[in-house]
């Protein structure tokens, strides 16, 4: 599981998605628009992150809203960003 978590965090697109979800809940369309990504790309990456239980979703009608689901991973992400900004 640890190696899969690091694999998830090693992908720039997944990092951008997790960083966005750290700041709040977003639909697939909102994520795609805010990050200038294709909806299919976002859906694929969210599926990967959901399988690792790093994100969760709720359904409102036909729209899925995603948010982060693992505070430990978000803390790791924040610390990594802080560390990188010092160099």
């Amino acid at each position: 599981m640890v190696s899969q978590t690091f694999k998830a965090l090693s992908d720039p697109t997944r990092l951008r998605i997790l960083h966005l979800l750290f700041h709040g809940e977003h639909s697939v369309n909102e994520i795609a628009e805010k990050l200038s990504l294709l909806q299919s790309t976002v859906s694929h990456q969210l599926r990967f992150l959901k399988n690792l239980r790093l994100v969760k979703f709720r359904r409102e009608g036909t729209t899925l809203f995603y948010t982060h689901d693992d505070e430990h991973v978000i803390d790791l992400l924040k610390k990594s960003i802080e560390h990188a900004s010092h160099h």
Side-chain angles (χ1 to χ4, degrees), residues 1 4-5 8 14 43-57 66 69:
M1 183 67 176
Q4 288 295 329
T5 300
R14 289 190 289 264
S43 294
H44 174 77
Q45 298 301 342
L46 286 170
R47 192 174 318 110
F48 183 91
L49 293 169
K50 186 171 70 75
N51 288 340
L52 290 174
R53 296 187 185 131
L54 299 180
V55 299
K56 60 185 175 183
F57 70 91
Y66 285 85
D69 193 26

Side-chain angles (χ1 to χ4, degrees), residues 61-74:
T62 60
T63 305
L64 298 178
F65 291 91
Y66 285 85
T67 188
H68 68 86
D69 193 26
D70 190 326
E71 200 63 44
H72 296 103
V73 171
I74 293 302

